[in-house]
Amino acid sequence: MNDKLVFLGLLYFVQGIPYGLQSSLLPVYLRGAGHSLTRIGFTKILYFPWVLKVLWAPLVDRVGTKRRWLVGTVSGLALTCLSSAALAPDAHIWGVASTLLAMNTLASVQDIAVDGAAVGLLKGRGELGLGNTAQVVGYKAGSVFAGGGLLAVIDVAGWSWMFMLLTFVYAGVALFVWGAPVLDDETVRGQQADGSRRGGPGSDAMRPWRIWRKLLSVPGTPWTVLYVLTYKLGEQGAVTMFPLFLLDHHMTARELGFWNGVIAMGFSICGSSLGGLLLAQFSIGALMRRVFVMRTVSMVFQSSLLTVLEPSPLMKGMAVLSMSVQHFLGGLITTLTFTTMMHCTQRAEESIQATHYSFLATLEVLGKLTFSALAGGVVDWFGFQVAFLFFLTLSAATALHVWTATFTGALREHQLKEQPK
């Protein structure tokens, strides 16, 4: 099991690097250059490959092996970073955008392959909880490394050295995956061979409507689809906009890089780790019901801080506390969510499991991406106070949705105790 966790955690770590560069480093850089919140919000379009990944998920599911897809995509990320080291962000802003778009494209394909491997490797509720903890923690650790750590040192090391470092990181991981014995597991190899046999011209890969029908017929999928589209809306708006409010009124970019990019994300990783431990002892429905209520309460506290515009040590302390609590609860919720998604996917037949999970993960990204792209415009149009009241309402509605499902819907205890196929 430890080999599985290291393997998955490392792959999700390098997968989180593009997100950290774009979510933490780029907004602070653009805001410091005087760009509007609306324009900053629209940079989220660079995440678009994550929305499209469900279209090529059947190809990854049926052609080649997981090892080859993983080595190919991670090597591609290394080459992209190597070419980006020659760019200067002030003079080549479109080149920087192209770099992030290419990194997101490669990382989205890598995500399909590693998710497919994870579905085959993780067995039982205990492994699902720990495996999804490795997934979420690894991804967020990569995001912290790129968005917080690199933001704090970029003024000293420079843009070129930053991307040279990333080149070596990706190249090392590609070599690790090439020789990783965990991919020799009989279950994974059996799925790969079975998928290859189904990959001919007469297979379902050539009839996508059959795949979609299979995806939607998996038990629990309709509820899970609605849930993953909406569960992060209010939180995503607050997490995206609150640091920019602090940049306008209370903190410098360097302070935000440390407190929001490192400390708060550290709390997020702690929350994700705790989620895996709690799943081994308590039912997921009861955990989700309580954590979603706690998240709504934390957003009430964070929204109240928007009325204090004068910078002060007390305000900075309360802001850091607010971000830390919000990220902690968000990390906990993310682990619970991805475990729920994987539990649903394991009910599907093996030939479409990677595609099914990629389908759910794509919708999860789509919900967050769409709203985070619009959140800046909402703030520019209505102001921070009204926008955060809207974010709070969305969070409360999601809590109600989850609360209902734990008693009468997909999160009922007897459904979650079903054994995966």
Side-chain angles (χ1 to χ4, degrees):
M1 181 59 187
N2 288 337
D3 290 342
K4 297 178 185 179
L5 295 181
V6 171
F7 174 79
L8 294 175
L10 187 59
L11 282 170
Y12 285 116
F13 174 86
V14 296
Q15 192 182 113
I17 289 175
Y19 178 81
L21 290 174
Q22 189 169 332
S23 65
S24 297
L25 189 147
L26 189 62
V28 172
Y29 172 81
L30 293 177
R31 189 60 172 173
H35 294 276
S36 69
L37 296 177
T38 301
R39 180 172 295 180
I40 294 173
F42 279 126
T43 62
K44 304 296 183 181
I45 198 172
L46 298 176
Y47 288 129
F48 201 62
W50 289 90
V51 178
L52 297 177
K53 73 173 187 174
V54 70
L55 299 179
W56 49 74
L59 181 67
V60 179
D61 231 350
R62 289 169 165 76
V63 178
T65 64
K66 297 295 188 294
R67 188 191 303 274
R68 289 178 179 176
W69 280 107
L70 291 171
V71 171
T73 51
V74 176
S75 299
L77 285 163
L79 292 175
T80 302
C81 290
L82 181 62
S83 64
S84 302
L87 298 176
D90 293 330
H92 303 95
I93 187 64
W94 289 109
V96 172
S98 298
T99 293
L100 291 172
L101 182 62
M103 293 182 74
N104 279 317
T105 301
L106 290 166
S108 69
V109 179
Q110 177 208 346
D111 184 57
I112 299 169
V114 70
D115 285 345
V119 170
L121 288 171
L122 302 175
K123 303 298 180 183
R125 195 174 76 172
E127 284 199 2
L128 276 179
L130 292 176
N132 280 281
T133 298
Q135 173 184 1
V136 177
V137 170
Y139 188 89
K140 290 184 176 180
S143 176
V144 171
F145 168 73
L150 295 182
L151 180 62
V153 302
I154 190 172
D155 291 338
V156 178
W159 184 271
S160 296
W161 282 107
M162 180 183 75
F163 272 96
M164 285 300 298
L165 172 62
L166 293 180
T167 299
F168 286 114
V169 170
Y170 279 120
V173 173
L175 291 174
F176 170 79
V177 174
W178 182 257
V182 70
L183 285 180
D184 296 332
D185 183 89
E186 287 297 325
T187 302
V188 177
R189 287 194 287 111
Q191 286 183 339
Q192 291 170 348
D194 188 52
S196 297
R197 287 193 296 270
R198 291 185 174 95
S203 69
D204 282 348
M206 304 300 292
R207 299 178 178 86
W209 59 90
R210 291 187 178 181
I211 297 177
W212 288 104
R213 193 160 52 201
K214 286 182 179 181
L215 296 181
L216 295 175
S217 65
V218 175
T221 298
W223 182 90
T224 307
V225 165
L226 178 60
Y227 169 74
V228 298
L229 279 170
T230 59
Y231 85 106
K232 280 277 189 179
L233 294 187
E235 177 190 320
Q236 192 70 17
V239 168
T240 302
M241 290 295 110
F242 191 70
L244 299 182
F245 169 80
L246 296 177
L247 185 65
D248 287 349
H249 296 95
H250 300 280
M251 292 186 181
T252 66
R254 186 176 292 275
E255 287 176 319
L256 272 178
F258 177 71
W259 291 114
N260 186 54
V262 178
I263 299 301
M265 286 302 295
F267 274 89
S268 179
I269 291 173
C270 290
S272 297
S273 302
L274 180 62
L277 297 175
L278 292 177
L279 280 170
Q281 304 179 39
F282 303 100
S283 70
I284 191 170
L287 286 173
M288 291 179 71
R289 186 167 62 243
R290 289 165 174 78
V291 174
F292 270 83
V293 172
M294 293 169 63
R295 186 184 70 173
T296 303
V297 173
S298 75
M299 287 193 64
V300 172
F301 171 65
Q302 187 172 79
S303 300
S304 68
L305 298 178
L306 300 176
T307 60
V308 184
L309 300 180
E310 293 298 324
S312 67
L314 178 61
M315 172 58 191
K316 287 185 177 182
M318 292 296 100
V320 170
L321 174 62
S322 173
M323 290 189 296
S324 299
V325 171
Q326 194 78 332
H327 278 78
F328 177 82
L329 294 174
L332 181 52
I333 287 173
T334 301
T335 296
L336 299 179
T337 296
F338 278 84
T339 302
T340 300
M341 290 163 53
M342 194 165 288
H343 186 279
C344 181
T345 291
Q346 289 188 330
R347 297 171 179 171
E349 62 182 65
E350 290 183 354
S351 64
I352 63 167
Q353 283 185 345
T355 302
H356 184 274
Y357 192 83
S358 293
F359 169 62
L360 295 178
T362 296
L363 295 179
E364 196 264 349
V365 172
L366 178 62
K368 295 189 297 186
L369 173 60
T370 302
F371 194 76
S372 59
L374 299 176
V378 173
V379 172
D380 279 341
W381 189 263
F382 296 104
F384 278 102
Q385 286 80 5
V386 174
F388 268 71
L389 181 61
F390 177 52
F391 301 156
L392 175 59
T393 302
L394 290 174
S395 180
T398 306
L400 180 61
H401 178 58
V402 169
W403 189 282
T404 303
T406 58
F407 292 106
T408 61
L411 293 179
R412 282 180 295 177
E413 190 65 23
H414 75 273
Q415 292 196 25
L416 293 176
K417 288 182 178 178
E418 293 178 3
Q419 294 299 317
K421 295 180 181 180

